[in-house]
């Protein structure tokens, strides 16, 4: 896990400005903000720097028990607050203190005495003078701020730093008292945190079970699960381990048909695409309990658009609408462009084949990031061209001088040729299939690019 000086949870009822404060601390718009109550549903995490020291900041969903979805949101938020080193309990200073806020504040204070009462939307001194009513909370530390006007934020940050000062001193003393062997172990542990991490995006349309799958992979209830469509809005990311390999799972917002995307979901779609730019492997979740639809194909197209490794998951297999053979026939008809993808039947709800999915993630990532030696690659290309020669270009011989892999994630191979423009896409497809027959490239694209001798040399020199 990444090193940080402490965990800070921003907790409060809907529309108090939690996500705005989260963004202010992080100095960028990470969490979606809106006047719509319940915009934040899952716990959003980010490292933020305070006086050059890293802290883990949690933006929690609004505490509200109006329906089953928000009861689940509230449960996650309260657990995040109870487990944090410091709680910032945020209230709306434009409204008089509510009994519900007081009850929640007292309950949290019993579980975690390290709690600040932060009164937001206090835009000027006059409003602060009128906010005396909030003294009825009996909080030991009260701060009056305005996130939108950047008022009182420095004072709050200084108080946070002071709160963690003793913790930091204890940490420094612990390090000083370590004997040589312990320090060596500590350094080894720190080195391990720098290991490569596999970034995995969980994609699919709304209500196919992405959040349930994330929870099953993490073996804990990390993401809010609800039958209400569009529950996940902000991408939810979490670090986990598969056989001691670090992975970052991101549960992206479900995607609807364009005509049905409304309000907050426009932000969600934009965030999903932003996540995919930083993703290595996409887990495409399809609902096996219903027939595939056109939107499933469009979402699957994002795999090619962002050049990702891919694993297809047929979720809700315990209530599949057809047998395996019939569903696979439908899949092959609609998703011809994903013929290289491994396909698993799972049930995130009861844990069916989750371990198998974890094994597949490591396997696909190995293929996705693999590099072929030049000698092995050229032997394979030579064998392929001998078995099926390259068609001539209007009677002129077209030949490959040599091949070299110039990039990975996914594997990208340059074919250095005398007539690069003459290589037909169908012959590239033949070469891809030939490589797949000889080596394991399941779950990843193989990209061939034809280049002339001089063009590739110039490209290498520029790089």
């Amino acid at each position: 896990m990444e090193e940080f000086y402490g965990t800070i949870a921003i907790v409060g009822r809907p529309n108090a400005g939690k996500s705005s404060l989260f963004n202010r601390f992080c100095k960028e718009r990470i969490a979606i903000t809106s006047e719509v109550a319940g915009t934040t549903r899952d716990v959003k995490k980010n490292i933020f720097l305070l006086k050059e020291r890293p802290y883990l900041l949690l933006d929690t969903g609004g505490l509200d028990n109006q329906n089953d979805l928000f009861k689940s949101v509230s449960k996650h938020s309260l657990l995040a607050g109870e487990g944090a080193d410091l709680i910032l309990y945020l209230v709306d200073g434009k409204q008089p203190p509510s009994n519900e806020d007081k009850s929640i504040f007292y309950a949290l204070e019993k579980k975690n005495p390290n709690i600040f009462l932060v009164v937001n939307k206090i835009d000027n001194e006059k409003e602060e003078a009128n906010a005396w009513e909030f003294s009825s909370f009996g909080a030991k530390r009260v701060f009056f701020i305005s996130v939108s006007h950047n008022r009182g934020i420095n004072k709050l940050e200084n108080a946070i730093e002071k709160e963690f000062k003793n913790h930091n001193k204890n940490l420094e003393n612990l390090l000083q008292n370590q004997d040589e062997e312990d320090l060596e172990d500590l350094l080894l542990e720190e080195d391990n945190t720098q290991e490569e991490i596999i970034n995995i995006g969980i994609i699919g349309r709304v209500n196919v079970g992405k959040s349930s799958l994330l929870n099953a992979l993490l073996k804990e209830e990390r993401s809010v699960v609800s039958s209400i469509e569009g529950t996940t809005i902000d991408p939810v990311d979490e670090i986990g381990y598969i056989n001691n390999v670090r992975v970052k799972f991101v549960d992206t917002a479900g995607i609807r048909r364009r005509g049905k995307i409304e309000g907050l979901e426009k932000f969600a779609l934009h965030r999903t695409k932003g996540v995919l730019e930083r993703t290595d492997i996409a887990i495409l979740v399809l609902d096996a309990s219903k027939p595939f639809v056109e939107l499933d194909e469009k979402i699957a197209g994002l795999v090619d658009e962002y050049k990702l490794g891919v694993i297809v998951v047929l979720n809700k297999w315990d209530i599949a609408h057809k047998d395996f053979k019939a569903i696979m026939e439908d899949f092959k008809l609609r998703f011809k462009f994903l013929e290289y993808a491994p396909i698993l039947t799972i049930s995130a709800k009861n844990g069916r084949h989750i371990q198998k999915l974890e094994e597949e993630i490591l396997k696909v990532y190995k293929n996705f990031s693999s590099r072929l030696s030049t000698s092995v690659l050229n032997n394979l290309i030579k064998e392929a061209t001998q078995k099926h020669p390259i068609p001539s270009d209007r009677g002129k011989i077209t030949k490959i001088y040599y091949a070299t892999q110039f990039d990975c994630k996914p594997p990208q191979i340059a074919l250095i040729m005398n007539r690069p423009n003459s290589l037909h896409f169908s012959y590239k497809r033949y070469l891809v299939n030939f490589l797949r027959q000889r080596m394991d490239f399941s779950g990843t694209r193989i990209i061939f690019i034809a280049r002339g001798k001089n063009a590739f040399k110039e490209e290498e020199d520029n790089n």
Side-chain angles (χ1 to χ4, degrees):
M1 184 165 286
E2 296 177 48
E3 295 292 330
F4 45 81
Y5 278 77
T7 306
I8 303 164
I10 305 173
V11 182
R13 293 172 62 222
N15 271 355
K18 297 181 298 298
S19 293
S20 296
L21 180 59
F22 179 85
N23 290 340
R24 175 71 71 181
F25 278 144
C26 297
K27 295 180 174 59
E28 60 179 308
R29 192 179 183 187
I30 297 171
I32 296 173
T33 59
S34 164
E35 293 180 4
V36 178
T39 298
T40 301
R41 296 171 187 177
D42 291 288
V43 177
K44 186 79 180 167
K45 297 181 179 181
N46 200 58
I47 300 292
F48 93 105
L49 293 176
L50 180 57
K51 304 290 175 67
E52 298 184 355
R53 287 176 170 172
Y55 295 83
L56 181 64
L57 190 65
L58 310 180
D59 174 26
T60 66
L63 301 173
D64 199 333
N65 290 323
Q66 60 179 304
N67 58 42
D68 290 340
L69 168 60
F70 290 106
K71 283 178 183 176
S72 183
V73 171
S74 297
K75 177 186 171 186
H76 282 71
S77 300
L78 290 170
L79 287 172
E82 290 170 11
D85 297 310
L86 174 65
I87 300 172
L88 303 181
Y89 190 81
L90 206 67
V91 295
D92 184 348
K94 299 288 188 190
Q95 305 292 330
S98 72
N99 289 329
E100 189 174 354
D101 266 323
K102 289 179 185 177
S103 297
I104 297 168
F105 182 85
Y106 299 148
L108 281 170
E109 193 176 33
K110 282 184 181 178
K111 296 276 188 178
N112 187 346
N114 299 321
I115 184 168
F116 292 174
L117 177 64
V118 182
V119 185
N120 188 25
K121 305 182 186 179
I122 303 298
D123 299 332
N124 52 56
E125 290 182 6
K126 185 178 178 181
E127 289 186 349
E128 184 172 335
N130 293 332
W132 59 269
E133 294 176 286
F134 287 95
S135 62
S136 61
F137 278 73
K140 295 175 184 176
R141 304 295 304 274
V142 183
F143 299 86
F144 299 98
I145 70 167
S146 172
V147 177
S148 60
H149 291 73
N150 198 24
R151 187 175 187 273
I153 302 298
N154 285 340
K155 186 176 179 181
L156 177 58
E157 288 182 340
N158 290 336
I160 291 170
E161 184 194 17
K162 189 175 179 181
E163 183 73 17
F164 282 99
K165 206 168 186 179
N166 291 334
H167 170 75
N168 294 340
K169 282 183 179 178
N170 292 338
L171 181 64
E172 288 167 8
N173 291 335
L174 178 66
L175 290 173
Q176 287 173 1
N177 293 331
Q178 295 285 333
D179 60 30
E180 203 169 302
E181 187 178 337
D182 287 341
L183 278 173
E184 188 177 339
D185 291 342
L186 194 65
L187 288 170
L188 283 171
E189 187 178 329
E190 188 175 330
D191 285 344
N192 288 337
T193 65
Q194 303 303 316
E195 289 174 352
E196 187 172 15
I197 189 166
I198 305 174
N199 294 294
I200 303 162
I202 304 174
I203 62 173
R205 56 190 169 95
V206 294
N207 221 28
V208 294
K210 299 182 299 300
S211 296
S212 297
L213 179 58
L214 175 65
N215 291 339
L217 286 163
L218 293 171
K219 299 173 180 63
E220 62 176 295
E221 195 177 344
R222 168 63 181 88
S223 195
V224 174
V225 176
S226 167
S227 59
I228 299 172
E229 291 191 351
T231 298
T232 302
I233 296 176
D234 269 312
V236 179
D237 57 85
E238 186 71 26
I239 300 291
Y241 288 87
I242 300 176
N243 295 343
N244 297 320
V245 177
R246 292 178 80 221
V247 293
K248 179 188 279 187
F249 294 107
V250 182
D251 172 18
T252 62
I255 300 173
R256 300 177 192 261
R257 284 190 294 112
R258 184 173 295 275
K260 288 195 173 184
I261 295 176
E262 299 173 358
L264 296 173
E265 290 184 88
K266 289 183 180 178
F267 291 103
L269 179 58
H270 176 71
R271 291 293 169 84
T272 295
K273 291 186 174 182
V275 165
L276 294 181
E277 288 174 355
R278 304 185 301 275
T279 294
D280 299 311
I281 296 171
I283 298 179
L284 174 63
V285 185
L286 302 173
D287 186 348
S289 70
K290 300 174 183 176
F292 303 132
V293 296
E294 185 183 355
L295 183 58
D296 289 323
E297 297 174 52
K298 289 183 177 178
I299 295 169
L302 294 172
V303 172
D304 263 0
E305 183 180 340
Y306 291 92
K307 298 179 181 177
L308 307 176
V310 62
I311 300 167
V312 176
V313 161
L314 300 175
N315 192 26
K316 306 184 185 180
W317 194 255
D318 49 323
I319 51 171
H321 74 288
K322 288 183 181 179
D323 62 26
F324 181 76
K325 184 178 178 182
I327 288 180
M328 286 309 299
E329 285 176 0
D330 293 343
F331 179 85
K332 288 174 182 177
L333 189 64
R334 283 184 175 271
F335 302 92
K336 291 177 182 177
F337 56 95
L338 289 182
E339 60 184 359
Y340 59 87
I343 302 169
L344 299 178
T345 59
I346 73 162
S347 172
K349 192 175 179 181
N350 62 31
R352 171 192 167 98
H353 288 168
I354 295 299
Q355 186 177 348
K356 194 172 180 181
L357 174 57
E358 291 177 333
E359 293 167 0
E360 204 64 43
I361 287 169
L362 298 182
K363 180 181 173 184
V364 168
Y365 183 73
K366 182 181 177 183
N367 297 340
F368 181 67
S369 54
S370 66
R371 281 190 176 274
L372 295 177
S373 70
T374 301
S375 59
V376 169
L377 180 58
N378 280 280
N379 286 337
L380 288 169
I381 296 298
K382 183 179 179 182
E383 184 183 350
T385 53
Q386 286 175 346
K387 187 174 182 180
H388 181 43
I390 305 170
S392 63
D393 178 18
R394 288 169 291 185
K396 295 178 180 179
I397 294 174
T398 301
K399 60 182 178 180
I400 298 171
Y401 294 120
Y402 67 93
T404 182
Q405 184 175 344
F406 64 91
D407 208 350
C408 61
K409 297 185 180 182
Q412 296 169 59
I413 298 166
L415 301 172
I416 313 307
M417 305 182 62
N418 63 337
R419 291 182 175 80
N421 295 332
S422 301
L423 192 68
H424 197 265
F425 74 88
S426 61
Y427 197 84
K428 287 183 184 178
R429 188 171 59 212
Y430 161 70
L431 291 177
V432 167
N433 291 335
F434 188 87
L435 255 64
R436 290 194 188 283
Q437 289 170 7
R438 295 293 189 272
M439 307 191 75
D440 183 6
F441 279 105
S442 66
T444 184
R445 293 176 64 190
I446 305 171
I447 300 172
F448 279 107
I449 298 175
R451 289 283 188 268
K453 270 187 175 181
N454 294 334
F456 189 72
K457 186 178 186 305
E458 288 171 10
E459 200 171 287
E460 281 186 320
D461 291 341
N462 290 334
N463 291 332

